[in-house]
Amino acid sequence: MRVLVLGGDGYLGWPTALHLSARGHQVGIVDNFARRGYDHELGAGTLVPIFSMKERLATWRRISGHHIEAHIGDLTDAPFVDGVVERFAPEAVVHFAEQRSAPYSMIDRNHCVYTQVNNVVGTLNLLYALAEHAPDCHLVKLGTMGEYGTPNIDIEEGFIEITHRGRTDLLPYPMQPGSFYHLSKVHDSHNIRFACRIWGTRATDLHQGIVYGVQTDETTLDPQLATRFDYDAVFGTVLNRFIVEAVIGQPLSVYGSGGQTRGLLDIRDTLACVELAVLNPAEPGEYRVFNQFTESFSVLQLAEHVARLSPKKTTIDHIPDPRVEKEEHYYRAAHTKLLDLGLKPHLLSDTLIESLFHVVEKYQERVDLSAIPPTVNWRSQHSSLPTVSSAE
Ligand code: NAD
Ligand code: USQ
């Protein structure tokens, strides 16, 4: 199939592009390198070194014999998006290309506005381009489990049947997101569902949990094919951060009591889920939601898991939560639709955590200690930008 991967220079987009290319799909990447720009802005950097797009693509061609074409540009630039969609004529578009950090969106007004404009306008431009130039193309959009928040009832896959005053309907599940970033995903979901209704667009909204790991069948073929590994307090996600903290001998930074429970998945399962969605497209006009995670853990459970497997003696710190979120809550979320399509999950095993320890130990000289403490506070409208020195 002809598949465009938007955000194909990012943590998940790059390995997804390789995975689809390795399976014989004709892959094009779109990216504006915004993510590399945030590194410069924050003075932070990926722990695992990454190479330029030119070097990545040349190495992939040499190793696999497959060509991936790159289109460098910004999704908020409507003529650019129209042009790429018209020329590439995709059968599927996998859309990862958004600002994806909750803390980044909560730094101050500018970062909030940037995040919502970038994400919502980019997706709107894409919806218009698909409707005009590729109406049969299937949109596979990366959303987030955080769109649901943490309600005191079971979370369903996108929709919930509600009986109200004797009448029943299947309605979008109520959304209670926890950051301006997570809110941008809710806005996207509404816009995509509406486009499906009015224009007959086909769409799958993947409500993905927190991804961990960096190693896939393709990224491990050559150091130049590696994907990024973020551990700083703005872009680093919780499990990746705990492993880095354990390796450098710091206490694990549990925010508050640590009862915050989230769905997680291995990066290899992200690739498998996206591939399953691409190979099993939504019908014309259908808007469907798959909850994309394989297991749920509380933050404290993750910390205890990492501390138990750490080669060094590792302690757990409970630091005041810089976010406004429930620290203890009910959490049970459905996630059967991808399993029904054939997903075989890689569950969080001791071996996987040990392999992450090996990756981090290899690059521990690159860890910037000043990047680790949280600097963005949800209660403030003016968090100061983290001042960390570059790990590059
Ligand atoms: P990332 O920041 O590493 O990658 C996103 C890529 O999109 C970057 O390369 C960036 O340069 C590009 N991009 C951003 N705005 C763009 C624009 N306007 N035009 C063109 N390119 C643009 O993020 P990631 O971790 O790979 O996440 C990818 C997607 O998956 C995001 O939409 C994110 O919300 C979602 N997601 C990620 C996780 C996770 O744990 N990483 C979990 C759930 C959902
Ligand atoms: N947390 C800690 N200590 C840390 C870092 C985080 O206790 O050092 C806690 C946070 O307070 C939060 C939980 O861990 O309760 C998860 O935080 P995170 O930074 O790992 O994940 P989050 O901000 O939710 O965002 C990440 C991705 C985002 C994606 C989301 C999926 O950055 O793109 O949408 O995971 S989900 O969580 O399902 O919404």
Coordinates of all heavy atoms in Angstrom, one line a residue, residues 53-106:
M53 N 17.7 13.1 8.9 CA 16.8 12.4 8.0 C 17.5 11.9 6.8 O 17.3 10.7 6.4 CB 15.6 13.3 7.6 CG 14.6 12.7 6.7 SD 13.9 11.2 7.3 CE 12.8 11.8 8.6
K54 N 18.5 12.7 6.2 CA 19.2 12.2 5.0 C 20.0 11.0 5.3 O 20.0 10.0 4.6 CB 20.1 13.4 4.6 CG 20.5 13.4 3.2 CD 21.2 14.7 2.8 CE 22.1 14.4 1.6 NZ 23.0 15.4 1.4
E55 N 20.7 11.0 6.5 CA 21.5 9.8 6.8 C 20.6 8.6 7.1 O 21.0 7.5 6.7 CB 22.4 10.2 8.1 CG 23.5 11.2 7.8 CD 24.1 11.8 9.1 OE1 23.3 12.2 10.0 OE2 25.3 11.9 9.1
R56 N 19.5 8.9 7.8 CA 18.6 7.7 8.2 C 18.1 7.1 6.9 O 18.2 5.8 6.8 CB 17.4 8.3 8.9 CG 17.7 8.7 10.4 CD 16.5 9.3 11.0 NE 16.5 9.0 12.4 CZ 15.5 9.4 13.3 NH1 14.4 10.0 12.9 NH2 15.6 9.1 14.6
L57 N 17.7 7.9 5.9 CA 17.1 7.3 4.7 C 18.1 6.6 3.9 O 17.9 5.5 3.3 CB 16.4 8.4 3.9 CG 15.2 9.0 4.6 CD1 14.6 10.1 3.7 CD2 14.1 8.0 4.9
A58 N 19.4 7.2 3.8 CA 20.4 6.5 3.0 C 20.8 5.2 3.6 O 21.0 4.2 2.9 CB 21.6 7.5 2.9
T59 N 20.9 5.2 5.0 CA 21.2 3.9 5.6 C 20.2 2.8 5.4 O 20.4 1.7 5.1 CB 21.4 4.1 7.2 OG1 22.4 5.1 7.3 CG2 21.9 2.9 7.9
W60 N 18.9 3.3 5.5 CA 17.8 2.3 5.3 C 17.8 1.8 3.9 O 17.7 0.6 3.6 CB 16.5 3.0 5.6 CG 15.3 2.1 5.3 CD1 14.3 2.3 4.5 CD2 15.0 0.8 6.0 NE1 13.4 1.2 4.5 CE2 13.8 0.3 5.5 CE3 15.7 0.1 7.0 CZ2 13.2 -0.9 5.9 CZ3 15.1 -1.1 7.4 CH2 13.9 -1.6 6.9
R61 N 18.1 2.6 2.9 CA 18.2 2.2 1.5 C 19.3 1.2 1.3 O 19.2 0.1 0.6 CB 18.4 3.4 0.6 CG 18.1 3.0 -0.9 CD 17.9 4.2 -1.7 NE 17.3 3.8 -3.0 CZ 16.8 4.6 -3.9 NH1 16.8 5.9 -3.7 NH2 16.3 4.1 -5.0
R62 N 20.5 1.5 1.9 CA 21.6 0.6 1.8 C 21.4 -0.8 2.4 O 21.6 -1.8 1.8 CB 22.8 1.3 2.5 CG 24.1 0.4 2.5 CD 25.3 1.2 3.1 NE 25.1 1.8 4.4 CZ 25.1 1.2 5.5 NH1 25.3 -0.1 5.5 NH2 24.9 1.8 6.7
I63 N 20.7 -0.8 3.6 CA 20.5 -2.0 4.3 C 19.4 -2.8 3.7 O 19.4 -4.1 3.6 CB 20.3 -1.7 5.8 CG1 21.6 -1.3 6.4 CG2 19.7 -3.0 6.5 CD1 21.5 -1.0 7.9
S64 N 18.3 -2.2 3.4 CA 17.1 -2.9 3.0 C 16.8 -2.9 1.5 O 16.0 -3.8 1.0 CB 15.8 -2.2 3.7 OG 15.6 -1.0 3.1
G65 N 17.4 -2.0 0.8 CA 17.1 -1.9 -0.6 C 15.8 -1.1 -0.9 O 15.4 -0.9 -2.0
H66 N 15.1 -0.6 0.2 CA 13.9 0.1 0.1 C 14.1 1.6 0.1 O 14.9 2.1 0.9 CB 12.9 -0.3 1.2 CG 12.4 -1.7 1.1 ND1 11.8 -2.3 0.1 CD2 12.6 -2.7 2.1 CE1 11.6 -3.5 0.3 NE2 12.0 -3.8 1.5
H67 N 13.3 2.3 -0.7 CA 13.4 3.8 -0.8 C 12.2 4.4 0.0 O 11.0 4.0 -0.3 CB 13.4 4.2 -2.2 CG 13.3 5.7 -2.4 ND1 14.2 6.5 -1.9 CD2 12.3 6.5 -3.0 CE1 13.9 7.8 -2.2 NE2 12.7 7.8 -2.8
I68 N 12.5 5.3 0.9 CA 11.4 6.0 1.6 C 11.6 7.5 1.1 O 12.7 8.0 1.2 CB 11.5 6.0 3.1 CG1 11.3 4.5 3.6 CG2 10.5 6.9 3.8 CD1 11.4 4.3 5.1
E69 N 10.5 8.1 0.6 CA 10.7 9.5 0.2 C 10.3 10.4 1.4 O 9.3 10.2 2.1 CB 9.9 9.8 -1.1 CG 8.5 9.6 -1.0 CD 7.8 9.9 -2.4 OE1 8.0 9.1 -3.3 OE2 7.1 10.9 -2.5
A70 N 11.0 11.5 1.5 CA 10.7 12.5 2.6 C 10.2 13.8 2.0 O 10.7 14.3 1.0 CB 12.0 12.7 3.4
H71 N 9.2 14.3 2.7 CA 8.6 15.6 2.3 C 8.7 16.5 3.5 O 8.1 16.2 4.5 CB 7.1 15.5 1.9 CG 6.8 14.4 0.9 ND1 6.7 14.8 -0.5 CD2 6.7 13.1 0.9 CE1 6.5 13.7 -1.2 NE2 6.5 12.6 -0.3
I72 N 9.6 17.5 3.4 CA 9.9 18.3 4.6 C 8.9 19.5 4.5 O 9.0 20.3 3.6 CB 11.3 18.7 4.7 CG1 12.2 17.5 4.6 CG2 11.6 19.5 5.9 CD1 11.8 16.4 5.6
G73 N 8.1 19.7 5.5 CA 7.2 20.8 5.5 C 6.2 20.7 6.7 O 6.3 19.7 7.5
D74 N 5.4 21.7 6.9 CA 4.6 21.9 8.1 C 3.1 21.6 7.8 O 2.6 22.2 6.8 CB 4.8 23.4 8.6 CG 4.3 23.6 10.0 OD1 3.3 23.0 10.3 OD2 5.0 24.3 10.7
L75 N 2.5 20.8 8.6 CA 1.1 20.5 8.4 C 0.2 21.7 8.6 O -1.0 21.7 8.1 CB 0.6 19.4 9.4 CG 1.2 18.0 9.2 CD1 0.4 17.1 10.1 CD2 1.1 17.6 7.7
T76 N 0.7 22.8 9.3 CA -0.2 24.0 9.4 C -0.1 24.8 8.1 O -0.8 25.8 8.0 CB 0.2 24.8 10.6 OG1 1.6 25.3 10.4 CG2 0.1 24.1 11.9
D77 N 0.7 24.4 7.1 CA 0.8 25.1 5.8 C -0.1 24.3 4.8 O 0.3 23.3 4.3 CB 2.3 25.0 5.4 CG 2.5 25.6 4.0 OD1 1.6 25.9 3.3 OD2 3.7 25.6 3.6
A78 N -1.3 24.9 4.6 CA -2.3 24.1 3.9 C -1.9 23.8 2.4 O -2.1 22.6 2.0 CB -3.7 24.9 3.9
P79 N -1.3 24.7 1.7 CA -0.9 24.4 0.3 C 0.1 23.2 0.3 O 0.1 22.3 -0.6 CB -0.3 25.7 -0.2 CG -0.9 26.8 0.6 CD -1.1 26.2 1.9
F80 N 1.0 23.2 1.3 CA 2.0 22.1 1.4 C 1.3 20.8 1.6 O 1.6 19.8 0.9 CB 3.0 22.4 2.6 CG 3.8 21.2 2.9 CD1 4.9 20.8 2.1 CD2 3.5 20.4 4.1 CE1 5.6 19.6 2.5 CE2 4.2 19.3 4.4 CZ 5.3 18.9 3.6
V81 N 0.3 20.8 2.5 CA -0.4 19.5 2.8 C -1.2 19.0 1.5 O -1.1 17.9 1.2 CB -1.3 19.7 4.0 CG1 -2.0 18.3 4.3 CG2 -0.6 20.2 5.2
D82 N -1.9 20.0 0.9 CA -2.6 19.7 -0.3 C -1.7 19.0 -1.3 O -2.0 18.0 -2.0 CB -3.2 20.9 -0.9 CG -4.5 21.3 -0.2 OD1 -5.2 20.4 0.4 OD2 -4.9 22.5 -0.3
G83 N -0.5 19.7 -1.5 CA 0.4 19.2 -2.6 C 0.9 17.8 -2.3 O 1.0 17.0 -3.2
V84 N 1.3 17.6 -1.0 CA 1.9 16.2 -0.7 C 0.8 15.2 -0.9 O 1.0 14.1 -1.5 CB 2.4 16.2 0.7 CG1 2.8 14.8 1.1 CG2 3.6 17.1 0.9
V85 N -0.4 15.4 -0.4 CA -1.5 14.4 -0.5 C -1.8 14.2 -2.0 O -2.0 13.0 -2.5 CB -2.7 14.8 0.3 CG1 -3.9 13.9 0.0 CG2 -2.4 14.8 1.8
E86 N -1.9 15.3 -2.8 CA -2.3 15.1 -4.2 C -1.2 14.3 -5.0 O -1.5 13.4 -5.7 CB -2.4 16.5 -4.8 CG -3.1 16.4 -6.2 CD -3.4 17.8 -6.8 OE1 -3.0 18.8 -6.2 OE2 -4.0 17.8 -7.9
R87 N 0.1 14.7 -4.7 CA 1.2 14.0 -5.5 C 1.4 12.6 -5.0 O 1.6 11.7 -5.8 CB 2.5 14.8 -5.3 CG 2.6 16.0 -6.2 CD 4.1 16.5 -6.2 NE 4.6 16.7 -4.9 CZ 4.4 17.9 -4.2 NH1 3.6 18.8 -4.7 NH2 4.9 18.1 -3.0
F88 N 1.4 12.3 -3.7 CA 1.7 11.0 -3.2 C 0.5 10.0 -3.4 O 0.7 8.8 -3.5 CB 2.1 11.1 -1.7 CG 2.7 9.8 -1.2 CD1 4.0 9.5 -1.4 CD2 1.9 8.8 -0.5 CE1 4.6 8.3 -0.9 CE2 2.4 7.6 -0.1 CZ 3.8 7.4 -0.2
A89 N -0.7 10.6 -3.4 CA -1.9 9.7 -3.6 C -1.9 8.5 -2.6 O -1.9 7.4 -3.0 CB -2.0 9.3 -5.0
P90 N -1.9 8.8 -1.3 CA -1.8 7.7 -0.3 C -3.1 6.9 -0.2 O -4.2 7.4 -0.4 CB -1.6 8.4 1.0 CG -2.2 9.8 0.8 CD -2.0 10.1 -0.6
E91 N -2.9 5.6 0.1 CA -4.1 4.8 0.4 C -4.4 4.8 1.9 O -5.5 4.6 2.4 CB -3.9 3.3 0.0 CG -3.8 3.2 -1.5 CD -3.2 1.9 -1.9 OE1 -3.9 0.9 -2.1 OE2 -1.9 1.9 -2.1
A92 N -3.3 5.1 2.7 CA -3.4 5.3 4.1 C -2.5 6.4 4.6 O -1.4 6.5 4.0 CB -3.1 4.0 4.9
V93 N -3.0 7.2 5.5 CA -2.1 8.2 6.1 C -2.0 7.9 7.6 O -3.1 7.8 8.3 CB -2.7 9.7 6.0 CG1 -1.9 10.6 6.8 CG2 -2.6 10.1 4.5
V94 N -0.8 7.8 8.2 CA -0.7 7.6 9.6 C -0.2 8.9 10.2 O 0.9 9.3 9.8 CB 0.4 6.4 9.9 CG1 0.4 6.2 11.4 CG2 0.0 5.2 9.1
H95 N -1.0 9.5 11.0 CA -0.7 10.8 11.5 C -0.2 10.9 12.9 O -1.0 10.8 13.9 CB -2.0 11.6 11.3 CG -2.0 13.1 11.8 ND1 -0.8 13.7 12.0 CD2 -3.0 14.0 12.1 CE1 -1.0 15.0 12.4 NE2 -2.3 15.1 12.5
F96 N 1.1 11.0 13.0 CA 1.8 11.2 14.3 C 2.2 12.6 14.6 O 2.7 12.9 15.6 CB 3.1 10.4 14.3 CG 3.0 8.9 14.3 CD1 3.2 8.2 13.2 CD2 2.9 8.2 15.5 CE1 3.2 6.8 13.1 CE2 2.9 6.8 15.5 CZ 3.0 6.1 14.3
A97 N 2.0 13.5 13.6 CA 2.8 14.8 13.6 C 2.1 15.9 14.4 O 1.5 16.8 13.9 CB 2.9 15.3 12.1
E98 N 2.3 15.7 15.7 CA 1.7 16.7 16.6 C 2.8 17.0 17.8 O 3.7 16.2 18.0 CB 0.4 16.3 17.2 CG -0.6 16.1 16.1 CD -2.1 16.1 16.5 OE1 -2.4 15.7 17.7 OE2 -2.9 16.5 15.7
Q99 N 2.6 18.1 18.5 CA 3.3 18.4 19.7 C 2.7 17.5 20.7 O 1.6 17.6 21.1 CB 3.2 19.9 20.0 CG 4.1 20.4 21.1 CD 4.0 19.7 22.4 OE1 4.8 18.7 22.7 NE2 3.1 20.1 23.3
R100 N 3.5 16.6 21.3 CA 2.9 15.5 22.1 C 3.2 15.5 23.6 O 2.9 14.6 24.3 CB 3.3 14.2 21.5 CG 4.8 13.8 21.7 CD 5.0 12.8 22.8 NE 6.4 12.3 22.9 CZ 7.0 12.3 24.0 NH1 6.5 12.8 25.1 NH2 8.3 11.8 24.0
S101 N 3.9 16.6 24.1 CA 4.2 16.6 25.5 C 3.2 17.4 26.3 O 2.9 18.6 26.0 CB 5.6 17.2 25.7 OG 5.7 17.7 27.0
A102 N 2.6 16.8 27.3 CA 1.7 17.5 28.2 C 2.4 18.7 28.9 O 1.9 19.8 28.9 CB 1.0 16.5 29.2
P103 N 3.6 18.4 29.6 CA 4.3 19.5 30.3 C 4.6 20.7 29.3 O 4.5 21.8 29.7 CB 5.5 18.9 30.8 CG 5.2 17.4 31.0 CD 4.3 17.1 29.9
Y104 N 5.0 20.4 28.1 CA 5.4 21.5 27.1 C 4.1 22.4 26.9 O 4.3 23.6 26.9 CB 5.8 20.8 25.8 CG 6.4 21.8 24.8 CD1 7.7 22.2 24.8 CD2 5.6 22.4 23.8 CE1 8.3 23.1 23.9 CE2 6.1 23.4 22.9 CZ 7.4 23.7 22.9 OH 8.0 24.6 22.0
S105 N 3.0 21.7 26.8 CA 1.8 22.5 26.5 C 1.3 23.3 27.7 O 0.5 24.2 27.6 CB 0.6 21.6 26.1 OG 0.1 20.9 27.3
M106 N 1.9 23.1 28.9 CA 1.5 23.7 30.2 C 2.6 24.7 30.6 O 2.5 25.3 31.7 CB 1.3 22.7 31.3 CG 0.2 21.7 31.0 SD -1.4 22.4 30.6 CE -1.8 23.0 32.2

